[in-house]
Amino acid sequence: MTAGGGPARGGGGETAPPLARSTLDRAAHRRTDPQWLAEAWERARVLVLDSAAGGRSLVRADAAPPELVLLGSGELPEVPRSVPMFLGVEPDGVPVFAVDSPLPELPGTRAVGLLEVGHLLLDRDAGLFTAALALTNWHARHGYSSVTGQPTRVDEAGWSRVDETGDRVWPRTDPAMIALVHDGVSGPEGACLLGSNAAWPRTAGRRRFSCFAGYVEPGESAEGAVVREVREEVGVAVENITYAGSQSWPFPGSLMLGFLALADPAQPVRVDATEIAYARWFTRREIGAALAGRPVAVDGGEHLLLPPPSSIALFLIHRWLDGHC
């Protein structure tokens, strides 16, 4: 959590990734208490999230940093698509729910996505938005039981689904690793290895580069996935793997486990062209210039574009840039 509960602006110094911040007590023991939930709904704050609009929600248009708009349960403009999902209890004792519904048209508000504002939100709002989106996305993909094939319905205040036979499933996240590979050299000439995904579109003369990432496979440790993915994507062997932090990535449902890993720049970089279009080493001097908005040439007249501020990738880059490796 950032000092003082402030937003994580991607400027270095954060102790946790931007979507790993929260102030909410999830109060999981309340999820199976229908009497308490019914009473809590009457006095709740409600986050409205529109899955049909890409999981967007409302923030106050004039607030800096952005501030989520939460409604009273009696203020919802129409019947939501989903049953209320209980997120938890705020420090002041007020319960918070989320619903999937078209966003109301409220003056002084604007619709935003989590990726757009996650790093700017205060800890409380970052936690609410991330949890609500992750839960909504999970429900959208589990309308049927993978065991019986029967339709499922929402249960336990949004935290499980059950079919007519009683087969129950709970929300799952897919573990994925993401690693910042570096050479271990301090100072401005120390370097990190970044890659440009083959599926990413070009952006007005800029090419996006990021850390290497991939899903943890069955029977594999997260550290083992780091070694395998980096070797598969760029042919480079890594060692001295250290854990740096994690965050939810509800697009649609991953948990990103962040690492720093050491590699020798003398190793040849051999990209897997099906995944990586281009990879190269960047010095701290170059990364610092790109973060300051100065052009850094990469290839064919294009310039370096770094990961978005709400990503754990940029958090890892800042950790390395600031010498925390």
Side-chain angles (χ1 to χ4, degrees):
M1 186 179 297
T2 54
R9 297 186 183 277
E14 294 84 15
T15 59
L19 302 186
R21 300 171 295 124
S22 180
T23 63
L24 193 69
D25 175 4
R26 295 198 171 202
H29 63 290
R30 297 296 192 184
R31 297 171 186 170
T32 54
D33 186 341
Q35 182 175 343
W36 184 91
L37 289 167
E39 185 275 332
W41 175 250
E42 296 301 317
R43 58 187 179 90
R45 298 180 181 122
V46 183
L47 175 64
V48 180
L49 189 148
D50 189 353
S51 64
R56 298 171 76 79
S57 192
L58 293 178
V59 295
R60 303 192 187 284
D62 58 353
E67 179 184 341
L68 285 178
V69 175
L70 274 68
L71 304 177
S73 57
E75 298 176 307
L76 299 180
E78 57 183 275
V79 177
R81 301 186 190 101
S82 70
V83 301
M85 298 172 285
F86 173 59
L87 299 183
V89 178
E90 299 238 53
D92 63 1
V94 177
V96 182
F97 289 76
V99 295
D100 181 4
S101 173
L103 298 179
E105 295 184 6
L106 298 177
T109 68
R110 61 187 177 95
V112 297
L114 180 62
L115 188 59
E116 176 186 347
V117 300
H119 61 295
L120 298 174
L121 297 172
L122 296 177
D123 293 352
R124 175 255 199 179
D125 285 358
L128 288 178
F129 203 161
T130 302
L133 182 59
L135 201 53
T136 298
N137 284 342
W138 178 75
H139 281 294
R141 288 162 174 76
H142 289 80
Y144 294 86
S145 168
S146 62
V147 176
T148 67
Q150 297 296 316
T152 59
R153 60 175 176 82
V154 179
D155 199 17
E156 297 182 326
W159 289 91
S160 73
R161 297 186 70 94
V162 64
D163 69 10
E164 291 183 357
T165 71
D167 183 70
R168 186 179 299 275
V169 291
W170 290 269
R172 294 289 186 270
T173 55
D174 298 318
M177 50 65 52
I178 182 165
L180 189 283
V181 178
H182 66 98
D183 63 359
V185 175
S186 60
E189 297 310 314
C192 68
L193 179 61
L194 302 177
S196 180
N197 193 293
W200 291 341
R202 303 292 179 84
T203 307
R206 299 188 293 172
R207 183 195 289 263
R208 185 180 297 281
F209 282 76
S210 188
C211 306
F212 301 102
Y215 288 108
V216 179
E217 295 186 344
E220 183 178 49
S221 69
E223 293 83 356
V226 172
V227 173
R228 175 182 55 78
E229 284 285 348
V230 176
R231 184 180 63 245
E232 289 176 355
E233 293 187 358
V234 289
V236 170
V238 298
E239 58 184 5
N240 292 6
I241 300 167
T242 58
Y243 177 71
S246 66
Q247 75 171 23
S248 173
W249 194 244
F251 307 104
S254 298
L255 175 65
M256 302 301 299
L257 306 169
F259 296 88
L260 298 167
L262 190 66
D264 183 354
Q267 297 181 75
V269 176
R270 300 188 178 94
V271 301
D272 175 359
T274 60
E275 292 196 50
I276 305 296
Y278 185 41
R280 58 159 278 194
W281 290 87
F282 294 91
T283 65
R284 276 193 180 86
R285 193 186 309 277
E286 290 175 307
I287 296 296
L291 288 169
R294 298 193 297 273
V296 176
V298 290
D299 183 40
E302 294 179 309
H303 294 114
L304 172 63
L305 178 63
L306 290 172
S310 291
S311 69
I312 192 173
L314 193 62
F315 170 82
L316 293 173
I317 290 171
H318 275 294
R319 293 280 290 179
W320 165 78
L321 188 68
D322 297 339
H324 301 296
C325 57

